[in-house]
Amino acid sequence: MPTSYQQETLESIFGLILCGQGNSVPDHCQTKSASAISRFLNNYQWSTRSLIRTVRSLIVKFLLDQRKRGRKPTLQVILDLTTLEKVGKFTHLGNLVRVYNHKKGLHIIVMYLVLGNWRIPGLSATLREWSFRIYRGKGTPSPSQLAQKLLNNLPKKLTQNFKIYVLGDTAFGTIKLINNIRKHSGHAIVGISKNRTLTDGRKVSEIKNRGQQVYLKGLDFPVFLSWVWLKRDCKKIQRFVISTKPMKGTTIARWGKRRWQIEGFFKTAKYRFSLHRFGQKTRLGVYRWLILSLVSYLLAYWVYLHLGKSESLDWFYCAQQTLILLLPHVLLLSIFNQLDTIMPWLHELGFDFCLIRCKI
């Protein structure tokens, strides 16, 4: 960071997001003013790229440390689109905030990595940006085309040391994307529409045997078809899944269900780490907020792994523990500011506080 003041502002933003409530906005910060946070995100010339480079190098190191002798472990690369919903006008953001699938907001394509206990939201080979893309609507690159760019930027160290399984829903079951995945020595396990046509003229919905080898129209190689049953509005809905790797039908279905892991990440990032609470007046400010939110998620998850908790993951508890372990001074300042606010009321109730710090 260029100055100690800007470093303090960065720590205050992390303290704000790591409250774990999911409603963090600059006005809620107890240690810095909203205007100071706004200037830090929108105006100050600190290097976003350096922050991304530091986090990226740590992620790659941790993932490579999981590599053992013998067979290559499987790295799951999950692709999906989520909407950071917004209301009102955002003229300063141009066509970034728009309506898609009946939802208004910022529509981002995210690449989510899963390796054993590790859960990582996006990772790019380039040092300039985090591994997500914004869908800008009709006439711009489609979600599958944006996903292809994300996959092309997956670090070579990972593709060389792990087996890559790319998981996605029907939006990512296009011919070009499947060909691209196979070209780069990965395997695609993606959803497809029941109306997709086979080379013999039949529809996918006409196949009755799970794990059957089929030839999709437009593909020069065979894929293996299965399906899963999902509950929607108290009804069972059939969803078809294909794999470019030969697998049993039940195995394809099991892998197909694993793509839903990213939905849990989306909910956590939004409602615990305030991913959708950006309210900045510049694209740079919005981008920096998204980056800091994702870094906060990573910090909380790394603290969870560090503590070695085996029970169910409580994100609010992990966020609080991250504050205590990494930013205790920010937490203390926030507590002291809250005490200053409520002290007159506590005095009326007969309470008195005296804070003393003893240096030993």
Side-chain angles (χ1 to χ4, degrees), residues 26-39:
D27 290 333
H28 294 169
C29 187
Q30 298 290 326
T31 54
K32 289 290 181 180
S33 65
S35 59
I37 293 176
S38 178
R39 289 192 300 269

PDB file of all heavy atoms in Angstrom, residues 26-39:
ATOM      1  N   PRO A  26     -20.544   0.956   3.402  1.00  0.00           N
ATOM      2  CA  PRO A  26     -19.595   1.883   4.045  1.00  0.00           C
ATOM      3  C   PRO A  26     -20.160   2.644   5.233  1.00  0.00           C
ATOM      4  O   PRO A  26     -19.431   2.946   6.183  1.00  0.00           O
ATOM      5  CB  PRO A  26     -19.209   2.818   2.893  1.00  0.00           C
ATOM      6  CG  PRO A  26     -19.324   1.963   1.670  1.00  0.00           C
ATOM      7  CD  PRO A  26     -20.503   1.076   1.927  1.00  0.00           C
ATOM      8  N   ASP A  27     -21.454   2.969   5.219  1.00  0.00           N
ATOM      9  CA  ASP A  27     -22.047   3.713   6.331  1.00  0.00           C
ATOM     10  C   ASP A  27     -22.036   2.927   7.636  1.00  0.00           C
ATOM     11  O   ASP A  27     -22.177   3.514   8.710  1.00  0.00           O
ATOM     12  CB  ASP A  27     -23.488   4.106   5.993  1.00  0.00           C
ATOM     13  CG  ASP A  27     -23.545   5.183   4.916  1.00  0.00           C
ATOM     14  OD1 ASP A  27     -22.569   5.944   4.816  1.00  0.00           O
ATOM     15  OD2 ASP A  27     -24.537   5.248   4.178  1.00  0.00           O
ATOM     16  N   HIS A  28     -21.886   1.600   7.559  1.00  0.00           N
ATOM     17  CA  HIS A  28     -21.898   0.766   8.762  1.00  0.00           C
ATOM     18  C   HIS A  28     -20.521   0.636   9.400  1.00  0.00           C
ATOM     19  O   HIS A  28     -20.395   0.045  10.471  1.00  0.00           O
ATOM     20  CB  HIS A  28     -22.433  -0.635   8.427  1.00  0.00           C
ATOM     21  CG  HIS A  28     -23.867  -0.645   8.009  1.00  0.00           C
ATOM     22  ND1 HIS A  28     -24.469  -1.760   7.448  1.00  0.00           N
ATOM     23  CD2 HIS A  28     -24.826   0.316   8.061  1.00  0.00           C
ATOM     24  CE1 HIS A  28     -25.730  -1.479   7.171  1.00  0.00           C
ATOM     25  NE2 HIS A  28     -25.961  -0.226   7.529  1.00  0.00           N
ATOM     26  N   CYS A  29     -19.496   1.133   8.734  1.00  0.00           N
ATOM     27  CA  CYS A  29     -18.137   0.974   9.254  1.00  0.00           C
ATOM     28  C   CYS A  29     -17.946   1.798  10.524  1.00  0.00           C
ATOM     29  O   CYS A  29     -18.315   2.979  10.572  1.00  0.00           O
ATOM     30  CB  CYS A  29     -17.119   1.381   8.196  1.00  0.00           C
ATOM     31  SG  CYS A  29     -15.414   1.027   8.666  1.00  0.00           S
ATOM     32  N   GLN A  30     -17.349   1.196  11.553  1.00  0.00           N
ATOM     33  CA  GLN A  30     -17.150   1.846  12.839  1.00  0.00           C
ATOM     34  C   GLN A  30     -15.784   2.519  12.965  1.00  0.00           C
ATOM     35  O   GLN A  30     -15.558   3.290  13.901  1.00  0.00           O
ATOM     36  CB  GLN A  30     -17.296   0.812  13.967  1.00  0.00           C
ATOM     37  CG  GLN A  30     -18.667   0.176  14.057  1.00  0.00           C
ATOM     38  CD  GLN A  30     -19.714   1.161  14.535  1.00  0.00           C
ATOM     39  OE1 GLN A  30     -19.435   2.040  15.335  1.00  0.00           O
ATOM     40  NE2 GLN A  30     -20.936   1.008  14.042  1.00  0.00           N
ATOM     41  N   THR A  31     -14.877   2.242  12.030  1.00  0.00           N
ATOM     42  CA  THR A  31     -13.507   2.729  12.187  1.00  0.00           C
ATOM     43  C   THR A  31     -13.083   3.738  11.127  1.00  0.00           C
ATOM     44  O   THR A  31     -12.076   4.424  11.303  1.00  0.00           O
ATOM     45  CB  THR A  31     -12.523   1.553  12.171  1.00  0.00           C
ATOM     46  OG1 THR A  31     -12.731   0.786  10.977  1.00  0.00           O
ATOM     47  CG2 THR A  31     -12.756   0.647  13.370  1.00  0.00           C
ATOM     48  N   LYS A  32     -13.801   3.802  10.010  1.00  0.00           N
ATOM     49  CA  LYS A  32     -13.528   4.792   8.970  1.00  0.00           C
ATOM     50  C   LYS A  32     -14.848   5.344   8.449  1.00  0.00           C
ATOM     51  O   LYS A  32     -15.875   4.655   8.457  1.00  0.00           O
ATOM     52  CB  LYS A  32     -12.747   4.174   7.797  1.00  0.00           C
ATOM     53  CG  LYS A  32     -11.304   3.825   8.110  1.00  0.00           C
ATOM     54  CD  LYS A  32     -10.445   5.072   8.283  1.00  0.00           C
ATOM     55  CE  LYS A  32      -8.990   4.688   8.566  1.00  0.00           C
ATOM     56  NZ  LYS A  32      -8.125   5.870   8.728  1.00  0.00           N
ATOM     57  N   SER A  33     -14.821   6.584   7.986  1.00  0.00           N
ATOM     58  CA  SER A  33     -16.035   7.199   7.459  1.00  0.00           C
ATOM     59  C   SER A  33     -16.369   6.617   6.093  1.00  0.00           C
ATOM     60  O   SER A  33     -15.508   6.071   5.391  1.00  0.00           O
ATOM     61  CB  SER A  33     -15.861   8.711   7.340  1.00  0.00           C
ATOM     62  OG  SER A  33     -14.869   9.029   6.372  1.00  0.00           O
ATOM     63  N   ALA A  34     -17.637   6.759   5.709  1.00  0.00           N
ATOM     64  CA  ALA A  34     -18.076   6.273   4.399  1.00  0.00           C
ATOM     65  C   ALA A  34     -17.343   6.993   3.273  1.00  0.00           C
ATOM     66  O   ALA A  34     -17.017   6.391   2.244  1.00  0.00           O
ATOM     67  CB  ALA A  34     -19.590   6.448   4.257  1.00  0.00           C
ATOM     68  N   SER A  35     -17.071   8.271   3.451  1.00  0.00           N
ATOM     69  CA  SER A  35     -16.360   9.030   2.418  1.00  0.00           C
ATOM     70  C   SER A  35     -14.921   8.546   2.264  1.00  0.00           C
ATOM     71  O   SER A  35     -14.388   8.497   1.144  1.00  0.00           O
ATOM     72  CB  SER A  35     -16.388  10.523   2.751  1.00  0.00           C
ATOM     73  OG  SER A  35     -15.786  10.768   4.016  1.00  0.00           O
ATOM     74  N   ALA A  36     -14.279   8.183   3.374  1.00  0.00           N
ATOM     75  CA  ALA A  36     -12.910   7.665   3.301  1.00  0.00           C
ATOM     76  C   ALA A  36     -12.878   6.342   2.538  1.00  0.00           C
ATOM     77  O   ALA A  36     -11.983   6.100   1.719  1.00  0.00           O
ATOM     78  CB  ALA A  36     -12.343   7.487   4.701  1.00  0.00           C
ATOM     79  N   ILE A  37     -13.857   5.473   2.798  1.00  0.00           N
ATOM     80  CA  ILE A  37     -13.935   4.194   2.083  1.00  0.00           C
ATOM     81  C   ILE A  37     -14.219   4.428   0.607  1.00  0.00           C
ATOM     82  O   ILE A  37     -13.641   3.774  -0.270  1.00  0.00           O
ATOM     83  CB  ILE A  37     -15.008   3.298   2.722  1.00  0.00           C
ATOM     84  CG1 ILE A  37     -14.564   2.882   4.128  1.00  0.00           C
ATOM     85  CG2 ILE A  37     -15.284   2.071   1.860  1.00  0.00           C
ATOM     86  CD1 ILE A  37     -15.590   2.073   4.883  1.00  0.00           C
ATOM     87  N   SER A  38     -15.102   5.381   0.306  1.00  0.00           N
ATOM     88  CA  SER A  38     -15.427   5.690  -1.088  1.00  0.00           C
ATOM     89  C   SER A  38     -14.195   6.193  -1.834  1.00  0.00           C
ATOM     90  O   SER A  38     -13.936   5.776  -2.968  1.00  0.00           O
ATOM     91  CB  SER A  38     -16.541   6.731  -1.139  1.00  0.00           C
ATOM     92  OG  SER A  38     -16.841   7.088  -2.473  1.00  0.00           O
ATOM     93  N   ARG A  39     -13.419   7.071  -1.215  1.00  0.00           N
ATOM     94  CA  ARG A  39     -12.205   7.562  -1.861  1.00  0.00           C
ATOM     95  C   ARG A  39     -11.206   6.440  -2.077  1.00  0.00           C
ATOM     96  O   ARG A  39     -10.530   6.371  -3.115  1.00  0.00           O
ATOM     97  CB  ARG A  39     -11.562   8.669  -1.013  1.00  0.00           C
ATOM     98  CG  ARG A  39     -12.343   9.974  -1.004  1.00  0.00           C
ATOM     99  CD  ARG A  39     -11.501  11.092  -0.407  1.00  0.00           C
ATOM    100  NE  ARG A  39     -11.098  10.801   0.972  1.00  0.00           N
ATOM    101  CZ  ARG A  39     -11.796  11.155   2.041  1.00  0.00           C
ATOM    102  NH1 ARG A  39     -12.976  11.771   1.895  1.00  0.00           N
ATOM    103  NH2 ARG A  39     -11.353  10.874   3.261  1.00  0.00           N
TER     104      ARG A  39
END
